[in-house]
Amino acid sequence: MDNLEEKIRSILSEELQNASNGSSSLGSTDSGENGIFDNVDDAIAAAKAAEDTFIDASIETRNKVIDAIKTGFKPYIEWMAKQIKEETGMGTVDAKIAKLNNALYNTPGPEILQPEAETGDGGLIMYEYAPYGVIGAVGPSTNPSETVIANAIMMLAGGNTVYFGAHPGAKNITRWTIEKLNEFVYQATGLKNLVTGINEPSIEAVQRMMKHPDIAALSVTGGPAVVHQAMTSGKKAIGAGAGNPPAIVDATADIDLAAHNIVDSAAFDNDILCTAEKEVVVEKAVKDELIQKMEAEGAFMVTNKADIDHMIDLTINKNGTPNRKFVGKDATFILDEAHISYTGDPKIIILEADKDHPFTLTEMLMPIIPVVCCPDFDSTLKTAVYVEGGNHHTASIHSNNLIHINKAAHRMNTSIFVVNGPTYAGTGVGFTGASALTIATPTGEGTTTAKSFTRRRRLNSPQGFSLKTWNK
Amino acid sequence: MVVDFSLKPHIISGKDSLDTLDAIKDQTILMVCDPFLDGSDELNKIRSHVHANNHVEVFSDVKPNPPLTNIIAGVQVFEKVKPTIMIAVGGGSAIDTAKAIRFFGEKVANTKVACFIGIPTTSGTGSEVTNTAVITDDKNNVKFPIMDDYLTPDISILFPELVMSAPASVSAFSGLDVLTHALESLVAKDSNLFTEAFSEKAMSVIFDDLVEVVMKQPQNYELRKTVHEASTAAGMAFNAAGLGFCHAIAHQLGAIFHMPHGLACAMTLPYVVEYNAEHDEVALKKYAAAARKCGLVGKSVGDKVAVRKIERTIHQMMQEMNCPKSLRAFGVDRNEAVKETDRVIEYAKKDATFPGNPVVPSDDDLRAVYEKVIG
């Protein structure tokens, strides 16, 4: 062998002396493995480069991308639910499984982007829903993977690509979700970096993203400060803000159903959904019956004023925000920490409170639900509007009086209004309707779909077409 | 200046093309093929045409960018069996490996191969009709082209069934390689009327049929055959006319970023066409005339618009076949790509294909083209 190699090398050097030319080969330099980059600029640049290709891609390609996401995550749903619970310490695994299924399988794709057309003597006017470009998205820690999945499906369906600024409190599972998503999409289509993110998400990174020239639009879920920042960024912003949803129960309500729905929905993921019932406003005539039936559904009633005050001290910070230690925690955890004795396995904590009670006016995001009592329907509705705090986010009513229902639906003026049902129905969980993970109340899109992440474009063709007329 | 063009390989194409092998009797045959072909139905089909009274030795330790180590192993086999006939079956790497084994083997063993037969299994490399084998000295990380006219295969058998089952991405990349061979050879320094005829026809076939056969009709035998033949035609064109700096850059992209050769060519091609058309009047006219003949633009369309249409059509085809159009779209980090600029320029200028370009681009010109390829 050595001898032969020597011979061949001597032939090479003799005969190819002049013809030889060099080209050293080096290791692969594919940084940004599976959509995750070291810094914001690289991640956005990659999403921009991907968009330059994706913007021209066929609808079939978009469908392939979305199918790949839907089939790819299927075997991981339970594992993801557990990981989210473990990393964030919030909510319940069962609720997260339901929310992940909702995000994956109830989020419509490109099929909802149907054009509109007008025709007549002025020819054809057509409107189509076209992509913005790279969308900068910020998700909450309360729905980390669900938001990545639902936003990715909606935004990619619209022909955009996404840079995702993860919540630092859920960075590991967010990162995993982005990487997996890229893997599925790449395997199915060969496209890379349709959704990107960074290794170490931070507030600074989000601010840099909002100012980045290659970010065409923002989709921000978070507190008033970050939503305000997005809306004043000079870019198109889709902002999902806070809520404090009241459940109205009037004297005509089916109290069994109301009690069941409210407890079930407030207990769902330990009340961390921004849509979940955060307080009950009830007409005096049915208050006692409602409380009794809620207890039967698994609510634990705290009556001792000292206990209630102690809970307030524990769960609400000096500045009026809920204490993160208790956000999304089990009712039993809160009761244990407050040294309140209980029997059984309570799902939520209830108490009687007035309309200005801290538990009533704070978006607690934990299973503590004050019950506010009002003498008649008009004052009940007025109180519900008051405690909702002008967020215009979500509200529900339990009633069999059509006039009451209609009046409340109108006056509450919320993005989601649920009649005789759990408010989680408004997010798509378990019921008909598109998933609603990003509910854009301040900017008005409401429950967002692929359409919310597109620009409406108009085409005029005065010389044609109209099939119904010809008078040229 | 002389026009130099010969039609060496005897080309046999079609359903019954393998019958050619039936004539071989009482020979020692060294068959070189891609590893995945060894024992496959395809290879067995080919072997069934080789009469049993021949002695057949198969060498299948073929790797992409053929490394010298594998060629040495092949030469050992060559030395042992002293073949009178060589049959190379596979993609460009297999045929190049076979050529290199022949090149060294004949010298080491002091024998001659009477007949070298190339049977390509991809529609792209053109290696079955060229005089060149590009090999890599894996110990020193250097690529060598071995060029000698006697290395051109004596017979090329185009048996389209072999490419029918190629995956879409392979067909797309190799088809774009054909287009690059055609467009580069069309304007290359040593092009002449004969090579231009082959270049134009290959272009026309690729523009007309590639997307159709890759995306819609992979099982259409006639289309596969046409594209397969176009690949060989383009190979004949560039074998005589030369290539240009698109290949010079693409070779570096392949070495640095480990990307498929045809894809690297296609990413670079539109900008090289643009550059050549801007800097060389003859190239501009040739591109434009070819674009009109291919029906990309109407007869009355001006030269510059016609060339732009070529550039756009390449991008559109890549789009339709889901090929990334830039290094960034391929997933290469921009900063990493930028870091490689000087090396790409340095080695592109040393590449054997570089001198074929009709005009000599400056370092800044190469940098500008590479910058566009990064995206």
Side-chain angles (χ1 to χ4, degrees):
Chain A
M1 175 77 187
D2 284 349
N3 187 26
L4 181 64
E5 180 167 352
E6 240 168 64
K7 273 190 207 164
I8 286 176
R9 287 197 177 278
S10 92
I11 297 171
L12 257 185
S13 56
E14 276 169 32
E15 304 217 6
L16 303 173
Q17 225 163 13
N18 301 324
S20 74
N21 72 91
S23 156
S24 73
S25 77
L26 273 181
S28 165
T29 54
D30 189 355
S31 104
E33 196 64 27
N34 287 328
I36 298 292
F37 294 79
D38 282 338
N39 65 66
V40 183
D41 290 351
D42 287 350
I44 293 175
K48 176 75 169 65
E51 174 64 7
D52 290 344
T53 305
F54 194 55
I55 197 164
D56 293 338
S58 63
I59 301 300
E60 191 191 346
T61 304
R62 293 190 201 176
N63 282 326
K64 269 191 204 159
V65 165
I66 288 159
D67 285 349
I69 296 171
K70 292 187 177 190
T71 42
F73 280 113
K74 197 165 198 142
Y76 294 100
I77 290 173
E78 203 175 317
W79 181 86
M80 288 166 80
K82 285 180 184 152
Q83 288 303 116
I84 298 167
K85 161 87 183 170
E86 190 160 303
E87 183 173 0
T88 65
M90 296 188 285
T92 64
V93 171
D94 284 349
K96 292 184 195 306
I97 292 173
K99 293 200 301 183
L100 285 164
N101 274 306
N102 181 37
L104 277 166
Y105 305 113
N106 290 344
T107 307
E111 69 276 5
I112 65 164
L113 301 175
Q114 293 306 322
E116 297 150 32
E118 299 172 41
T119 61
D121 296 343
L124 169 75
I125 300 163
M126 182 178 73
Y127 301 89
E128 269 201 342
Y129 295 90
Y132 279 104
V134 184
I135 296 180
V138 178
S141 62
T142 48
N143 283 319
S145 300
E146 300 91 318
T147 306
V148 171
I149 290 169
N151 278 5
I153 293 175
M154 291 192 284
M155 293 169 187
L156 298 176
N160 309 282
T161 60
V162 195
Y163 165 81
F164 222 98
H167 192 288
K171 65 178 183 183
N172 294 328
I173 188 63
T174 307
R175 181 199 162 111
W176 181 90
T177 309
I178 293 173
E179 286 179 326
K180 267 293 176 214
L181 189 146
N182 273 285
E183 197 183 306
F184 300 145
V185 170
Y186 180 71
Q187 280 166 3
T189 64
L191 293 169
K192 285 185 172 182
N193 297 326
L194 296 188
V195 178
T196 66
I198 53 171
N199 271 316
E200 289 299 328
S202 64
I203 306 290
E204 294 72 33
V206 167
Q207 281 164 348
R208 192 173 175 81
M209 177 267 275
M210 288 198 190
K211 295 194 191 96
H212 198 288
D214 282 342
I215 294 288
L218 297 165
S219 169
V220 173
T221 306
V226 68
V227 172
H228 175 79
Q229 216 170 15
M231 289 172 75
T232 54
S233 66
K235 296 177 190 298
K236 160 73 180 181
I238 291 161
N244 194 34
I248 301 168
V249 181
D250 80 1
T252 69
D254 176 340
I255 303 298
D256 287 322
L257 182 68
H260 173 77
N261 281 339
I262 294 168
V263 173
D264 188 35
S265 186
F268 184 77
D269 222 12
N270 288 337
D271 217 355
I272 55 171
L273 278 71
C274 53
T275 50
E277 293 84 348
K278 298 288 189 297
E279 60 277 332
V280 175
V281 188
V282 58
E283 259 191 86
K284 191 167 191 322
V286 292
K287 182 202 73 175
D288 290 338
E289 188 189 354
L290 179 70
I291 288 176
Q292 190 197 338
K293 286 186 170 160
M294 284 175 79
E295 284 176 316
E297 290 286 338
F300 180 79
M301 178 82 173
V302 180
T303 46
N304 183 315
K305 184 162 187 318
D307 285 344
I308 294 171
D309 288 346
H310 187 42
M311 276 204 300
I312 296 173
D313 287 345
L314 280 179
T315 59
I316 301 183
N317 295 323
K318 290 246 162 7
N319 64 5
T321 57
N323 183 347
R324 279 196 72 86
K325 184 182 167 189
F326 294 95
V327 168
K329 289 297 186 326
D330 294 344
T332 50
F333 174 84
I334 299 169
L335 290 169
D336 287 341
E337 290 284 312
H339 303 296
I340 299 170
S341 60
Y342 57 91
T343 52
D345 184 20
K347 292 201 280 185
I348 65 169
I349 300 163
I350 56 173
L351 61 142
E352 282 202 63
D354 63 30
K355 67 181 171 55
D356 291 306
H357 192 276
F359 282 152
T360 313
L361 293 181
T362 309
E363 186 191 25
M364 294 298 292
L365 299 168
M366 62 186 82
I368 299 176
I369 312 296
V371 178
V372 183
C373 182
C374 300
D376 53 29
F377 177 72
D378 284 343
S379 60
T380 301
L381 178 53
K382 205 173 154 196
T383 302
V385 169
Y386 172 75
V387 301
E388 209 272 329
N391 289 315
H392 299 142
H393 194 291
T394 298
S396 74
I397 187 167
H398 288 86
S399 168
N400 282 317
N401 180 321
L402 195 60
I403 307 295
H404 287 179
I405 295 170
N406 197 149
K407 198 168 169 188
H410 171 69
R411 281 271 183 272
M412 290 309 303
N413 195 17
T414 47
S415 292
I416 296 177
F417 190 78
V418 178
V419 180
N420 292 327
T423 54
Y424 63 60
T427 69
V429 169
F431 293 85
T432 311
S435 76
L437 268 295
T438 301
I439 299 151
T441 300
T443 51
E445 289 80 3
T447 56
T448 50
T449 64
K451 212 176 219 179
S452 315
F453 301 100
T454 54
R455 295 162 51 218
R456 189 169 189 256
R457 296 184 54 204
R458 168 170 169 155
L459 176 139
N460 269 63
S461 173
Q463 295 300 312
F465 293 79
S466 175
L467 305 182
K468 66 193 172 197
T469 168
W470 180 257
N471 60 357
K472 293 282 178 271
Chain B
M1 167 126 189
V2 289
V3 170
D4 183 353
F5 185 68
S6 65
L7 281 168
K8 179 180 176 190
H10 185 168
I11 294 167
I12 298 162
S13 176
K15 279 202 167 69
D16 301 325
S17 54
L18 290 178
D19 294 354
T20 313
L21 300 173
D22 297 346
I24 304 172
K25 302 243 164 74
D26 298 319
Q27 300 290 324
T28 306
I29 300 173
L30 175 57
M31 216 176 217
V32 178
C33 68
D34 284 314
F36 56 86
L37 287 174
D38 197 0
S40 68
D41 292 349
E42 286 93 342
L43 197 72
N44 290 339
K45 184 152 202 171
I46 294 168
R47 289 193 65 167
S48 70
H49 284 268
V50 178
H51 200 274
N53 62 15
N54 295 292
H55 171 70
V56 180
E57 193 78 29
V58 176
F59 177 79
S60 64
D61 191 8
V62 167
K63 292 216 170 98
N65 299 318
L68 197 55
T69 315
N70 296 64
I71 287 156
I72 291 167
V75 174
Q76 274 185 309
V77 178
F78 185 101
E79 209 181 6
K80 193 181 76 194
V81 300
K82 297 191 171 53
T84 48
I85 288 182
M86 283 184 75
I87 303 179
V89 186
S93 302
I95 299 176
D96 277 10
T97 300
K99 285 178 184 169
I101 291 172
R102 174 190 193 180
F103 179 80
F104 295 114
E106 285 185 337
K107 291 182 170 57
V108 171
N110 203 20
T111 55
K112 289 280 175 217
V113 171
C115 183
F116 186 106
I117 301 171
I119 308 181
T121 57
T122 60
S123 305
T125 73
S127 183
E128 70 280 4
V129 286
T130 67
N131 62 2
T132 311
V134 181
I135 62 169
T136 304
D137 180 352
D138 38 333
K139 274 197 183 150
N140 302 319
N141 268 330
V142 184
K143 268 192 174 185
F144 298 98
I146 308 175
M147 282 184 194
D148 221 317
D149 278 344
Y150 81 91
L151 290 177
T152 309
D154 301 288
I155 299 173
S156 291
I157 297 179
L158 308 183
F159 186 62
E161 269 178 44
L162 292 172
V163 295
M164 298 286 285
S165 58
S169 62
V170 170
S171 303
F173 297 154
S174 45
L176 290 166
D177 193 16
V178 174
L179 185 61
T180 311
H181 292 154
L183 278 162
E184 286 215 286
S185 62
L186 179 70
V187 299
K189 274 220 175 89
D190 292 333
S191 59
N192 55 49
L193 182 139
F194 307 102
T195 64
E196 285 163 23
F198 284 104
S199 302
E200 285 178 356
K201 183 63 189 178
M203 264 175 78
S204 158
V205 168
I206 296 300
F207 281 138
D208 280 349
D209 297 334
L210 183 65
V211 173
E212 184 71 16
V213 77
V214 170
M215 302 307 291
K216 292 189 182 143
Q217 301 195 52
Q219 292 308 315
N220 185 321
Y221 177 85
E222 285 305 322
L223 280 182
R224 286 282 194 185
K225 175 166 175 278
T226 307
V227 171
H228 206 40
E229 288 174 349
S231 165
T232 300
M236 295 172 78
F238 83 78
N239 189 43
L243 289 165
F245 78 100
C246 176
H247 265 77
I249 290 177
H251 284 149
Q252 315 320 317
L253 302 184
I256 297 170
F257 304 113
H258 300 283
M259 55 198 300
H261 172 68
L263 180 62
C265 282
M267 273 183 195
T268 316
L269 183 61
Y271 312 117
V272 171
V273 169
E274 180 186 14
Y275 177 87
N276 285 340
E278 256 173 42
H279 292 82
D280 187 272
E281 195 66 26
V282 180
L284 170 68
K285 292 224 171 311
K286 281 190 186 178
Y287 285 139
R292 291 188 198 100
K293 281 178 199 163
C294 295
L296 290 188
V297 292
K299 289 222 185 307
S300 56
V301 169
D303 288 352
K304 286 181 179 160
V305 176
V307 173
R308 271 208 297 279
K309 179 70 184 179
I310 294 179
E311 297 156 28
R312 276 210 305 275
T313 305
I314 298 166
H315 273 153
Q316 191 189 332
M317 290 171 69
M318 293 174 78
Q319 190 70 52
E320 287 172 29
M321 298 189 294
N322 301 320
C323 302
K325 284 184 283 196
S326 66
L327 289 178
R328 288 209 301 179
F330 179 66
V332 174
D333 179 71
R334 188 180 159 76
N335 294 333
E336 292 301 320
V338 170
K339 260 188 241 159
E340 302 289 348
T341 306
D342 288 343
R343 194 203 340 251
V344 169
I345 294 172
E346 184 190 343
Y347 287 106
K349 287 194 294 183
K350 289 184 187 166
D351 197 276
T353 56
F354 186 80
N357 206 65
V359 274
V360 183
S362 69
D363 285 11
D364 284 344
D365 297 337
L366 289 169
R367 188 173 289 115
V369 168
Y370 179 58
E371 184 63 33
K372 288 180 197 167
V373 174
I374 295 173

